[in-house]
Amino acid sequence: VVAPRRAAALAERDGVAACVAAVDASDGLVTYPLWLATRSELLHRAGRDADAARAYATALELPLAAPVRRQLERRLAELG
């Protein structure tokens, strides 16, 4: 939970590109759906919609609570 929150703070302070780099450098979180969702949102904000869509799709392959799944499906659909 700390890593996604730290990423959001970095995005506000240092910009989205720096935050994406910090998130991508995080180890051991690739099976954590909320990390993937955070990464997806950051990629979208950086204008990397294809990468964001892939990250959302990866998150949706993992076990999720129904409300979280609906949110990620909605965000993926918004990317087109």
Side-chain angles (χ1 to χ4, degrees):
V1 174
V2 173
R5 289 182 181 161
R6 181 176 181 275
L10 279 174
E12 294 299 320
R13 188 187 74 190
D14 299 334
V16 176
C19 185
V20 170
V23 167
D24 285 346
S26 300
D27 290 332
L29 297 174
V30 295
T31 59
Y32 181 52
L34 297 182
W35 178 83
L36 289 164
T38 300
R39 183 174 183 272
S40 300
E41 181 61 28
L42 292 168
L43 290 167
H44 169 65
R45 290 182 187 190
R48 295 172 53 188
D49 287 349
D51 293 329
R54 282 191 292 277
Y56 277 125
T58 300
L60 288 166
E61 293 173 3
L62 300 171
L64 298 165
V68 174
R69 179 169 298 284
R70 286 191 299 272
Q71 171 67 15
L72 297 183
E73 288 170 341
R74 185 170 54 250
R75 294 298 290 152
L76 178 57
E78 289 171 359
L79 292 176

